[in-house]
Amino acid sequence: TRAWTHGPNARRSELSEWILCPLRCAGRMRAMGRVGAAPGAPSVAAFAAAAAAAAAILLLLGPVPARADVCKCGDAKFNMGNCSVAIHECGCLHHITKWRYKATATETHSGASSGTQEWFKSKDGAGEQAIFVLVNQHLVHTTPTSPDPCNCFHQDTKLPNCTLRSTVCAMFNNTGDVSAGKVSFHAWATDMTSGDVAEVSQYAQPEAAAAQAAAELFNTHPADAKACGISD
C-alpha cells in the first residue's frame, strides 16, 4: 500500500506517479518479455488496472495546481509633471520555460493603477506599457466637474451667456513615447451651461489642443456658438 502525505495536493502528485510509472514499467516489461520476473509479480494487465483506478480517483480530486512562476521583483519611480508614479516590476521564469517581465504602475497621490501588464521580453517593455496604460486609460478627464488628474488642468473662460471650460491632459501616443519622455495633449471643450462637449487629441502644444477643442465645440453645436457670442 502507498501512504498518503501532506494533504490533497501531495495525493494528486502521488496519483500522477501511479499513472505514469505503471505505463512506463509496462512498456519496459513488454520490451524485456518479462524475462526473470519473480513468481507472483504483477502482470501488465494488473498495472493497467491500477492506472485506470488511479486515473478515476485523480478525476475526483480535481486538477493538479500549476506551479507558480518563480519571480524576482523590484520597484522604480517615474515622474511626469505633477504625477509621481511607483512601478512594481517582476522578472519571472514564466511557465518554467522563458524569462518574462510584468509591471504595475500606480500614481501615488490618487492611487490610480494600470493593473498588472504581462508578459514582456524586457523589463523596460513591461514598465513602459504599465505607464502608458495608467496615463492614457486611468489618468484621464471624465466629467467637467470631476477633479483634474495629476496630468491634467483646466481653465474657465467667461463669455456673454456661457462659461467655456477648457481641459487639457498630457498623454502618450505610444509606449515608445514613454521612454522618450514625449507627451502629446488631449483637450476637451465644455459649454458649462448646455453641457455640450467636444474633444481632440495628439497635439504637440496644450494651447493648440485647447483652441481646436473649442473650435470643434462651436462648429458642431451652433446654438452654443450663438449663445456664447461666438457667432450671430
Side-chain angles (χ1 to χ4, degrees), residues 36-61:
S43 66
V44 173
F47 272 115
I57 297 172
L58 190 60
L59 288 174
L60 292 175
L61 290 175

Side-chain angles (χ1 to χ4, degrees), residues 87-165:
I87 307 169
H88 185 66
E89 301 170 320
C90 294
C92 304
L93 194 56
H94 187 45
H95 292 169
I96 320 180
T97 58
K98 297 179 180 179
W99 198 256
R100 291 291 183 264
Y101 297 85
K102 60 181 180 179
T104 303
T106 305
E107 205 285 309
T108 57
H109 301 298
S110 65
S113 173
S114 66
T116 303
Q117 305 299 308
E118 56 187 17
W119 295 101
F120 293 82
K121 292 182 179 180
S122 71
K123 181 177 68 173
D124 289 344
E128 289 166 7
Q129 178 66 20
I131 294 169
F132 178 83
V133 170
L134 172 67
V135 172
N136 284 48
Q137 297 183 19
H138 300 282
L139 296 178
V140 295
H141 171 72
T142 52
T143 67
T145 57
S146 61
D148 292 332
C150 57
N151 56 319
C152 304
F153 66 92
H154 75 267
Q155 179 177 325
D156 290 342
T157 302
K158 298 289 185 180
L159 297 172
N161 296 305
C162 72
T163 297
L164 175 67
R165 172 162 294 183

Side-chain angles (χ1 to χ4, degrees), residues 184-208:
S184 66
F185 295 93
H186 196 124
W188 293 259
T190 305
D191 183 334
M192 299 298 287
T193 302
S194 69
D196 293 328
V197 182
E199 61 181 288
V200 297
S201 62
Q202 298 188 7
Y203 279 77
Q205 299 298 326
E207 298 84 358

Side-chain angles (χ1 to χ4, degrees), residues 18-19 22-23 25-26 29-30 34 40-54:
W18 275 36
I19 292 171
L23 294 176
C25 292
M29 291 169 69
R30 283 193 295 270
R34 292 182 50 81
S43 66
V44 173
F47 272 115

